[in-house]
């Protein structure tokens, strides 16, 4: 048992409930995201299974010396105030890499939001990557992944499926978690 497994399973008493294999390349969509603990649990999980993942985080967190550590463990700083071609850059990086795992919290913040970010979806679509839907279930103390979504190009239909999937999970702070209401199309 490695150190991450000892902390994740032994000290924190969390379990892993996954049925989806982790491919060499994918987007790891993680929700609900209501606490800094979500990042810690995600890192402990991915390292406990002997893997790693890059992750997006607002640039303000990349100050010295924390920025050095965040970059070393896979952090990618995001400048949220301006529109850049980050999705294109990450899709190109994924296409060139032999292994690419990018963990993204589509809520984009720990605060309650009613519209989720879609950058993760467009990175997956452009790079032709599957999206693994990971839930952090604080009620059951589990990291859960029972669904892989292959982006169809119909963003709203795929986002409805994503919202349906995440409805089952219990956030650390439930009052901060909201699913996006996406109207059905006819």
């Amino acid at each position: 048992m490695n150190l991450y497994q000892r902390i994740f399973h032994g000290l924190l008493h969390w379990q892993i409930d996954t049925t989806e294999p982790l491919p060499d390349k994918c987007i790891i969509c993680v929700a609900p995201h209501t606490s800094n603990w979500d990042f810690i649990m995600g890192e402990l999980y991915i390292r406990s299974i002997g893997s790693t993942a890059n992750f997006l985080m607002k640039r303000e967190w990349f100050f010295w010396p924390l920025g050095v550590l965040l970059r070393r463990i896979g952090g990618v700083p995001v400048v949220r105030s301006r529109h850049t071609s980050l999705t294109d850059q990450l899709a190109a990086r994924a296409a060139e890499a032999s292994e690419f795992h990018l963990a993204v919290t589509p809520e984009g913040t720990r605060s309650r939001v009613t519209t989720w970010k879609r950058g993760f979806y467009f990175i997956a679509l452009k790079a032709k990557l599957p999206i693994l839907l990971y839930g952090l279930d604080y009620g059951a103390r589990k990291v859960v992944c029972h669904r892989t979504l292959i982006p169809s190009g119909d963003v709203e239909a795929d986002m409805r499926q994503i919202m349906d999937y995440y409805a089952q999970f219990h956030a650390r702070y439930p009052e901060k978690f909201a699913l996006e209401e996406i109207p059905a199309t006819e």
Side-chain angles (χ1 to χ4, degrees):
M1 188 179 277
N2 68 34
L3 175 63
Y4 302 106
Q5 291 168 332
R6 287 181 185 160
I7 295 169
F8 186 77
H9 297 295
L11 183 63
L12 299 175
H13 305 290
W14 272 61
Q15 300 300 313
I16 298 171
D17 181 6
T18 60
T19 57
E20 300 299 298
L22 187 64
D24 291 338
K25 296 184 183 187
C26 67
I27 300 296
I28 300 169
C29 180
V30 182
H33 179 45
T34 63
S35 165
N36 285 334
W37 276 101
D38 304 334
F39 172 75
I40 293 166
M41 298 312 295
E43 276 297 304
L44 287 171
Y45 162 74
I46 197 78
R47 291 176 185 279
S48 76
I49 64 166
S51 193
T52 60
N54 291 99
F55 54 91
L56 303 178
M57 186 177 273
K58 65 181 175 179
R59 182 185 66 184
E60 290 79 5
W61 281 94
F62 288 81
F63 57 85
W64 192 89
L66 184 59
V68 174
L69 173 64
L70 290 174
R71 281 184 177 86
R72 182 169 289 152
I73 64 173
V76 178
V78 176
V79 180
R80 298 191 304 177
S81 62
R82 63 178 181 200
H83 297 287
T84 63
S85 61
L86 185 60
T87 58
D88 291 330
Q89 292 169 23
L90 290 169
R93 186 192 292 182
E96 294 168 4
S98 59
E99 187 174 297
F100 183 85
H101 299 137
L102 179 65
V104 178
T105 55
E107 294 154 281
T109 179
R110 295 173 311 278
S111 302
R112 185 179 178 86
V113 295
T114 56
T115 303
W116 289 19
K117 308 272 186 208
R118 284 159 169 67
F120 76 98
Y121 182 89
F122 291 111
I123 295 165
L125 186 65
K126 290 173 185 178
K128 297 179 176 63
L129 299 177
I131 301 169
L132 275 68
L133 303 181
Y134 274 85
L136 297 175
D137 194 327
Y138 282 85
R141 298 179 78 86
K142 287 183 180 179
V143 170
V144 179
C145 182
H146 293 177
R147 182 82 194 275
T148 297
L149 181 100
I150 305 299
S152 70
D154 185 341
V155 182
E156 298 309 300
D158 289 345
M159 288 301 292
R160 270 192 301 281
Q161 290 181 48
I162 291 169
M163 294 303 134
D164 288 345
Y165 179 79
Y166 283 111
Q168 66 184 303
F169 298 109
H170 299 92
R172 180 170 178 91
Y173 298 109
E175 68 278 7
K176 292 183 173 185
F177 181 55
L179 295 168
E180 182 175 341
E181 293 185 26
I182 302 171
T185 55
E186 296 179 24

